[in-house]
Amino acid sequence: MAVDERMVRPLRPTGSMLVGAAAAAVLAAWLAGALLRRWEAPLVGWVAMPVLAGATAWQCWRASAAPGLSRAARNFWRCVALAGVMLGAGALSNAHDALSGPGAPSQHLSALTLGCFMAASAVTQWGLLRLPGTAAQRLGPLQLVLDSGTVMVTVALFAWHLSFRHGDAWGRVVGSVWPAVVAVVCGCASIAVFVKLSATGIGAIERGALRMLALATAASAASGTLAPALVSFPAIGDAHITVPVACVFIFLAADRQRRAAALPPPPARARRWSIAPYLAVAAANGLLLFADPGTDTRVLTAGAVLLTMVVVVRQIHAFRVNARLLATVDRTVAQLREAHDLLEQQATHDTLTGLGNRRMLQQCMDGAAGVPPHRLHLALIDLDDFKLVNDRLGHNVGDELLRAVAERLTGVVGDLGTVVRLGGDEFAVLADAGPADADALVARVAEALQHPLAAGGAELMVRASIGLTDATAYAAAAVDAPELLRRADVAMYAAKDRGKHRIARFTPELDRAAAEDARLGAQLRRALDAGQLHMVYQPIVTLPSGATTGVEALVRWSHPDRGAVPPSVFIPVAERTGLIAPLGEWVLRSACAQAVRLRAAGPGGRPVTVSVNVSARQLRDPDFPATVGRIIAESGADVAWLTIEVTETAVFDDELALTSVRALAAMGLRIALDDFGTGHSSLGLLRTCPVDVIKVDRSFVEEICAGGPPAVIATALLQIADGLRVDAVAEGVETAEQARRLHELGYRYAQGYHFCRPVPADRLAALLAAPVPA
């Protein structure tokens, strides 16, 4: 674990530290006395060295057991502890060589001694090489070789100048030049390892401890080159300098690592270049300047030239690496720019159609701040009944259709505005145009969408409801982007409420109507929970007797403050606010319960059917048939007792609603077309929609006694009903004359105030039990 030098705990003396310090002090004092030829007791120097090596080994072992160290660091310090033991063994062997041979004391070195010292160096290097490097500081292998080469060439030059050129004289004293060679080789190898580690970085060893280990290696290698200078001091061996120097630095490194354990690591520091090659060249050139003329100068000159060539090669390699890095940086920057552009494209564009998305619309509206409010127009386009395409033809076809719509919108709008897809089946067009031009543009959009579009290998028809608004401020506050979008949304829903496939421009009245709808809708929601709603039933009678054959269930609202709220007011609000679903379920449950009560009235009552009105929004719910079936089953009613009334506009050109009607008919429920004759294509519905009853609209009944077109149409509708074998019910009969005329034309069923106004449920049983007038 690497830590900052400032975070190391303060020094605290330990037993091993005191022993090591005492041994080092004794050894230093003895070495000084021996060099001054005032105290040459060789035994003192040879005894102090193993003690110092042992204390060093013990300190390294303690460092390996410090808390917080990584496994790699623990293994490394165990290797260094083993190296300390080998140094002690080498010191003991060296003492035996120096004190027991002929001519003792001498500087003789045996093979065992050299083996111990080489093993200590090898174990330390092995431990260093096994340490993991930091990825942020790793260099290429060629640069590592070149850096190591410059350092080793420099070390070799110094070794030649200080040692090997005097090898003959030293060899006659020591017995061989191999000890010097071994010392220099081990030092070079250790230095090469540290050069590699300084370039790659080590994350497991504390930085200060690593520097001390490097100093131990460098100092030992340098002191080893001083061996020829000790020829005239037979009591002093090379090990008296190299071993103590190495042990002191290793001892201090282990103590520093132990004190730094369990502290948090500092951030990694990447080294961009190495100073070692430049220091090596400077050192070699300095040596060349102060060397004696002769063979030594020629060798040093050759070495300096070789060193310069290595550094030149390193620089060329560095230039090439930098060039590759710059090229990589350029490619990375280009890729980042492409990624940024792609992200920007994805952030502001719809992935399906390629159009802009809501974020782009926001940016465009923000950028149109300088456009006059009466010229900034936003059109919100919602595809009507698009869900049917996904449900019937699949989402793949739906996606193709959306792409086709996007392409057509783009072609129609062109440069006159910006087309975006807000999501789902909603599109928007933002344009800088006057009111007349904006109206004309939206009209062209609506007309273009009426033409078939190719999708899924077929020609499909789409219709759209479009809400249009400008940025005119109707209040004191300015119109911002969210407000502009809200206005367009209000206008779009107004277009849907008017029957879909229409265009509506926003006006303040739409806002007031929406606010009123919201208030009334909230009150209607509370009315459902508070029991303010109740049912009334209007009889459907036979002609001419007036006998009740069925009843139509009608909902009424008694508001605690407003009194009776007309159905013509609250039913459209329920449609627009979505409350029609829970309201419709409540009406159906009430009607089913009433049908059960009428059937249970006994022989005194006549069996009648109960008709229930359902809205277009209910029919567009795919789950509506299942809901009806569940309510009928829960109430205990029979499908034969019920008739479902739908308006022509609810099922005209609405495949979802038509599907629900067919499902209801398949369940056994009777289907009645209400307000028949007033829709877009009443006769066409008789061919596509399952019908059991047609209820002729009151507009044909009001003037039936006067003859003319109303009487002709009423007669024709009756003939159509007879031909299709369906029942015809005349609605809105308010006078006896109208009832008589209808009977003369052939009508057998009628409904209206002339026969009976809607009555509450508690009076219905008495009405049915009353005798039929003769």
Side-chain angles (χ1 to χ4, degrees):
M1 178 181 299
V3 297
D4 195 288
E5 290 82 355
R6 294 171 297 178
M7 301 177 64
V8 178
R9 295 188 180 96
L11 179 66
R12 293 180 180 178
T14 61
S16 59
M17 184 179 297
L18 294 176
V19 171
V26 169
L27 192 58
W30 173 83
L31 186 61
L35 289 174
L36 296 175
R37 300 186 183 277
R38 294 180 179 180
W39 185 32
E40 295 185 356
L43 184 62
V44 175
W46 291 114
V47 170
M49 272 201 305
V51 174
L52 179 59
T56 302
W58 175 248
Q59 189 73 358
C60 292
W61 187 262
R62 290 188 62 201
S64 70
L69 281 184
S70 66
R71 182 177 180 180
R74 293 183 187 279
N75 292 335
F76 167 74
W77 286 110
R78 288 168 183 168
C79 288
V80 179
L82 179 59
V85 173
M86 293 179 178
L87 282 177
L92 291 175
S93 177
N94 199 357
H96 178 270
D97 297 337
L99 299 177
S100 63
S106 68
Q107 296 177 345
H108 177 70
L109 294 175
S110 65
L112 177 61
T113 301
L114 288 176
C116 290
F117 290 153
M118 290 182 65
S121 176
V123 169
T124 303
Q125 294 173 39
W126 172 249
L128 285 168
L129 292 174
R130 291 183 62 193
L131 288 172
T134 55
Q137 296 181 338
R138 288 177 182 164
L139 302 178
L142 179 58
Q143 186 168 344
L144 290 177
V145 170
L146 294 174
D147 286 353
S148 301
T150 56
V151 174
M152 286 189 288
V153 169
T154 303
V155 172
L157 289 177
F158 274 88
W160 165 263
H161 179 72
L162 298 176
S163 179
F164 290 155
R165 66 174 180 155
H166 307 294
D168 293 341
W170 188 54
R172 285 192 297 271
V173 176
V174 177
S176 174
V177 297
W178 284 109
V181 173
V182 169
V184 172
V185 169
C186 290
C188 289
S190 298
I191 291 173
V193 170
F194 274 100
V195 169
K196 181 260 183 186
L197 294 179
S198 66
T200 60
I202 295 179
I205 304 301
E206 195 271 332
R207 291 171 183 166
L210 186 63
R211 294 191 189 104
M212 291 181 183
L213 291 174
L215 288 175
T217 300
S220 297
S223 61
T225 61
L226 299 176
L230 301 175
V231 171
S232 59
F233 298 93
I236 303 176
D238 181 38
H240 284 117
I241 300 177
T242 57
V243 173
V245 168
C247 286
V248 168
F249 282 111
I250 292 174
F251 193 102
L252 294 176
D255 180 72
R256 187 177 181 88
Q257 179 69 76
R258 183 181 59 82
R259 290 185 286 120
L263 293 178
R269 296 184 296 182
R271 178 174 297 174
R272 298 181 180 179
W273 54 281
S274 175
I275 197 175
Y278 307 102
L279 292 178
V281 172
N285 290 332
L287 183 64
L288 181 61
L289 290 176
F290 295 101
D292 297 331
T295 305
D296 186 36
T297 304
R298 290 193 295 272
V299 173
L300 294 178
T301 302
V305 171
L306 175 61
L307 189 62
T308 303
M309 293 176 61
V310 173
V311 173
V312 169
V313 172
R314 181 190 183 279
Q315 289 301 106
I316 294 174
H317 172 70
F319 290 150
R320 291 179 177 178
V321 170
N322 290 339
R324 288 196 296 268
L325 288 176
L326 289 175
T328 302
V329 169
D330 291 339
R331 288 194 299 270
T332 304
V333 170
Q335 292 172 355
L336 289 175
R337 287 175 179 170
E338 292 178 2
H340 177 269
D341 294 342
L342 179 60
L343 289 175
E344 185 67 21
Q345 172 78 9
Q346 292 175 346
T348 58
H349 286 75
D350 175 51
T351 57
L352 177 63
T353 62
L355 296 176
N357 57 15
R358 187 180 294 269
R359 182 177 179 183
M360 172 175 278
L361 178 63
Q362 178 74 35
Q363 293 176 354
C364 292
M365 290 191 291
D366 292 342
V371 178
H374 71 281
R375 291 188 58 85
L376 183 60
H377 281 82
L378 178 65
L380 191 61
I381 305 167
D382 185 86
L383 303 182
D384 295 320
D385 302 325
F386 180 77
K387 184 177 183 298
L388 181 64
V389 177
N390 284 333
D391 292 343
R392 291 298 181 83
L393 303 179
H395 288 274
N396 290 336
V397 176
D399 291 344
E400 289 186 34
L401 184 58
L402 289 174
R403 285 190 287 265
V405 169
E407 184 177 352
R408 182 159 295 181
L409 289 175
T410 303
V412 173
V413 176
D415 297 332
L416 301 177
T418 301
V419 182
V420 300
R421 180 184 177 221
L422 299 180
D425 57 359
E426 280 192 344
F427 296 83
V429 177
L430 184 69
D432 178 4
D437 293 336
D439 290 337
L441 177 61
V442 172
R444 290 197 301 272
V445 167
E447 193 275 334
L449 291 178
Q450 292 179 4
H451 297 287
L453 292 163
E459 297 288 326
L460 301 179
M461 297 292 297
V462 295
R463 301 290 179 85
S465 297
I466 304 177
L468 179 64
T469 186
D470 59 26
T472 301
Y474 296 106
V479 177
D480 56 7
E483 172 63 14
L484 194 66
L485 189 59
R486 186 197 68 81
R487 287 183 176 185
D489 196 57
V490 169
M492 185 269 292
Y493 276 105
K496 284 187 176 293
D497 291 339
R498 295 170 188 173
K500 298 189 295 188
H501 317 329
R502 285 173 169 78
I503 301 171
R505 177 180 273 274
F506 176 82
T507 61
E509 287 73 20
L510 290 180
D511 253 352
R512 287 191 286 270
E516 178 62 23
D517 283 355
R519 286 192 295 270
L520 197 59
Q523 294 172 2
L524 181 58
R525 176 72 266 181
R526 290 193 293 269
L528 274 169
D529 299 332
Q532 298 175 10
L533 302 177
H534 65 277
M535 299 297 298
V536 296
Y537 300 87
Q538 185 175 31
I540 301 171
V541 303
T542 59
L543 296 176
S545 66
T548 301
T549 185
V551 292
E552 180 179 356
L554 304 170
V555 63
R556 296 291 184 262
W557 182 8
S558 298
H559 195 281
D561 300 323
R562 302 173 58 169
V565 182
S568 59
V569 173
F570 71 83
I571 293 297
V573 171
E575 286 270 6
R576 288 190 291 268
T577 59
L579 286 174
I580 194 65
L583 176 61
E585 288 190 25
W586 182 86
V587 169
L588 182 59
R589 289 184 184 277
S590 300
C592 288
Q594 186 61 40
V596 172
R597 285 193 293 269
L598 292 176
R599 293 287 170 163
R606 295 187 298 275
V608 296
T609 60
V610 179
S611 298
V612 180
N613 292 280
V614 299
S615 69
R617 188 157 184 171
Q618 288 175 279
L619 292 174
R620 283 197 292 270
D621 181 3
D623 297 329
F624 180 66
T627 301
V628 172
R630 175 171 50 81
I631 292 175
I632 293 175
E634 291 174 355
S635 65
D638 192 293
V639 292
W641 305 346
L642 299 173
T643 299
I644 300 296
E645 291 194 13
V646 298
T647 61
E648 295 179 57
T649 55
V651 293
F652 176 73
D653 200 20
D654 193 327
E655 189 65 25
L656 280 175
L658 200 56
T659 300
S660 294
V661 171
R662 289 169 181 158
L664 294 171
M667 294 165 55
L669 291 162
R670 286 165 56 85
I671 305 298
L673 277 181
D674 199 10
D675 302 330
F676 188 78
T678 60
H680 300 281
S681 181
S682 301
L683 298 180
L685 281 177
L686 295 176
R687 188 168 50 86
T688 59
C689 181
V691 177
D692 300 289
V693 180
I694 58 174
K695 302 187 74 172
V696 180
D697 189 69
R698 65 176 58 246
S699 61
F700 302 114
V701 176
E702 290 173 349
E703 302 179 10
I704 198 169
C705 296
V712 174
I713 294 174
T715 302
L717 293 179
L718 178 62
Q719 291 174 349
I720 292 172
D722 290 340
L724 296 176
R725 292 186 174 86
V726 299
D727 295 331
V729 178
E731 294 185 294
V733 180
E734 297 185 355
T735 66
E737 186 178 2
Q738 290 173 345
R740 179 184 57 78
R741 181 58 179 158
L742 287 169
H743 180 254
E744 290 175 355
L745 292 176
Y747 279 87
R748 296 183 294 275
Y749 303 102
Q751 180 181 357
Y753 284 1
H754 169 64
F755 305 104
C756 186
R757 289 180 176 272
V759 298
D762 56 1
R763 290 178 51 193
L764 188 56
L767 178 66
L768 295 178
V772 178

